[in-house]
Amino acid sequence: MKITRTAAVLGTAAAITLGGVVGAAAENYMRPADSENPIAVAGCVIRFDEREGTKTIPRIHANQSHMCVGVTDVEVNEDGDLVVNSDKQGAIVSLVVSPDETMSKMGLSCGGSGGIGHTTVRCYDRTGKHVRADGPDIYNPWGNLWLSWFIWEK
């Protein structure tokens, strides 16, 4: 009985201590919404309208109607994912990857990962099959992939 009671007391003390540590750590990375927050907004449109043979070449689509802020270049990694490189450093507050109506009509959905220096974007078709960013199934002269980042400037 003495061992069980001691274990229970130690377990409770550890839980309280760890709970305090986790709670304190979480508080350091949670802030109220405030107009004084040091948040930078970045965004860009990526288009899949160029080809070399059957290979699609994703590119930054920037012109008088489409601004690109914070993105330096795009590439395709060995897994066929789009890698969007940026010039901004900081903690990611939010990342949005949104196929436009043309890509949605093609049945494509995409999601992003990362965001500090680069974001990896992977797209899928309606059946859940991975669609390579340099493959023939993503090519479209009018399809846009919209990307937005909200970055906490340190």
Side-chain angles (χ1 to χ4, degrees):
M1 197 69 165
K2 185 176 182 181
I3 293 174
T4 305
R5 194 172 287 155
T6 302
V9 169
L10 288 174
T12 302
I16 290 169
T17 302
L18 288 176
V21 170
V22 171
E27 287 178 28
N28 290 334
Y29 300 103
M30 296 180 66
R31 303 283 198 276
D34 188 325
S35 62
E36 299 299 317
N37 284 340
I39 294 177
V41 178
C44 197
V45 176
I46 309 302
R47 195 168 268 189
F48 301 87
D49 63 346
E50 294 184 1
R51 287 184 173 161
E52 285 181 8
T54 59
K55 186 175 182 179
T56 300
I57 309 299
R59 67 175 182 86
I60 293 171
H61 181 62
N63 57 30
Q64 64 186 9
S65 300
H66 301 85
M67 290 297 295
C68 184
V69 177
V71 173
T72 56
D73 61 84
V74 297
E75 57 190 292
V76 178
N77 68 16
E78 63 278 354
D79 295 326
D81 299 328
L82 179 69
V83 178
V84 182
N85 296 304
S86 63
D87 62 3
K88 199 68 181 161
Q89 298 295 316
I92 299 300
V93 175
S94 180
L95 162 65
V96 179
V97 178
S98 182
D100 74 351
E101 75 284 1
T102 301
M103 292 184 75
S104 294
K105 185 177 179 181
M106 294 167 60
L108 299 176
S109 60
C110 305
S113 181
I116 300 174
H118 71 274
T119 299
T120 302
V121 177
R122 181 168 279 198
C123 296
Y124 297 90
D125 68 11
R126 285 185 179 97
T127 67
K129 178 184 165 208
H130 174 227
V131 175
R132 291 185 60 93
D134 59 358
D137 294 336
I138 202 166
Y139 173 83
N140 190 296
W142 309 112
N144 291 325
L145 185 63
W146 296 85
L147 296 132
S148 300
W149 298 263
F150 294 86
I151 304 158
W152 188 274
E153 294 184 310
K154 295 181 179 180

